[in-house]
Amino acid sequence: GQQLNQSPQSMFIQEGEDVSMNCTSSSIFNTWLWYKQDPGEGPVLLIALYKAGELTSNGRLTAQFGITRKDSFLNISASIPSDVGIYFCAGQVAGGTSYGKLTFGQGTILTVHP
Amino acid sequence: EAQVTQNPRYLITVTGKKLTVTCSQNMNHEYMSWYRQDPGLGLRQIYYSMNVEVTDKGDVPEGYKVSRKEKRNFPLILESPSPNQTSLYFCASGPTGGPGGQETQYFGPGTRLLVL
């Protein structure tokens, strides 16, 4: 099946620092999604990207849909302790019989030190 | 309150004993899906359903069955569980069609399964 490589696997940062993480794919996606998972909870959608080159913000979060449609980036500015969690990228293919399939990256575990 | 519910939340069972994990949503969503989460592997899609009586395989369907007889329910069935199915399972639902699509899917709280 499709592969999504997400990096880094984990990050340990100081409060106030900026964070960057990315996902690369062996296949083209028509939608890129970024989720956050808090301990003991299910993932929650942060940002959805629908067009190549699109740059979308949600508060301190900014995500971009790569031009090649095979990658995406998530940036978090001025991190705070509540940013702690696991961040997942996910990609969805265009149309056809696989329209309902969603492929996730392995996740980035973020730890923020006060 | 709009939500996806899963039952049970925790389950310990033995190899070969059939089990069902239920999933129900109250948002009238057409799309529902099951995932398993394992350390270092992220979430992997097991099965999904675009609508009632329509189900398709995800990336890891082996050893699992699903059914979608009603819009609100999407149970996950393990006919003969094995230890490699020990995992954290999530059900999700979302609308289909339009720019929202199933991208805006909502996840349940998870079911932690241990197969001995």
Side-chain angles (χ1 to χ4, degrees):
Chain A
Q2 291 158 339
Q3 299 277 330
L4 273 189
N5 292 312
Q6 185 172 347
S7 65
Q9 291 186 352
S10 61
M11 301 183 74
F12 298 85
I13 62 170
Q14 291 292 130
E15 183 177 359
E17 289 183 3
D18 296 343
V19 174
S20 292
M21 59 190 78
N22 69 84
C23 272
T24 58
S25 169
S26 57
S27 304
I28 288 174
F29 289 115
N30 74 315
T31 301
W32 280 95
L33 309 167
W34 285 92
Y35 288 86
K36 182 193 177 195
Q37 184 180 29
D38 291 323
E41 306 281 334
V44 174
L45 183 68
L46 298 173
I47 293 179
L49 302 157
Y50 302 108
K51 291 194 297 189
E54 180 181 357
L55 187 70
T56 298
S57 293
N58 178 7
R60 293 178 295 105
L61 277 62
T62 302
Q64 184 163 25
F65 193 141
I67 291 291
T68 65
R69 296 169 64 193
K70 290 185 176 182
D71 58 3
S72 181
F73 305 85
L74 176 69
N75 295 314
I76 305 173
S77 63
S79 59
I80 58 178
S82 62
D83 289 334
V84 165
I86 306 177
Y87 291 79
F88 291 102
C89 63
Q92 181 193 14
V93 298
T97 59
S98 298
Y99 185 63
K101 289 188 72 172
L102 199 61
T103 302
F104 279 79
Q106 305 96 321
T108 295
I109 301 171
L110 179 63
T111 303
V112 180
H113 294 288
Chain B
E1 180 190 353
Q3 60 183 356
V4 178
T5 57
Q6 296 178 226
N7 282 293
R9 294 290 312 277
Y10 304 91
L11 180 61
I12 301 174
T13 190
V14 295
T15 298
K17 186 176 181 182
K18 180 179 179 180
L19 67 91
T20 299
V21 184
T22 64
C23 174
S24 181
Q25 51 95 2
N26 62 0
M27 295 168 279
N28 202 36
H29 285 161
E30 293 174 341
Y31 177 84
M32 297 186 75
S33 184
W34 275 103
Y35 301 87
R36 60 178 289 173
Q37 182 176 11
D38 302 288
L41 297 177
L43 287 94
R44 293 178 292 169
Q45 192 174 38
I46 303 171
Y47 272 96
Y48 63 94
S49 169
M50 301 293 282
N51 213 325
V52 175
E53 302 292 0
V54 179
T55 62
D56 282 291
K57 296 178 181 178
D59 289 322
V60 289
E62 294 78 20
Y64 304 95
K65 285 176 59 177
V66 293
S67 68
R68 189 89 183 276
K69 295 185 172 61
E70 307 166 281
K71 199 171 191 178
R72 62 183 291 127
N73 297 320
F74 191 44
L76 179 70
I77 304 157
L78 284 71
E79 294 270 1
S80 182
S82 62
N84 64 13
Q85 292 179 297
T86 292
S87 187
L88 177 58
Y89 291 87
F90 286 101
C91 179
S93 75
T96 49
Q102 58 263 41
E103 298 91 327
T104 53
Q105 60 183 330
Y106 298 85
F107 282 79
T111 295
R112 191 167 291 279
L113 173 65
L114 172 62
V115 183
L116 300 173

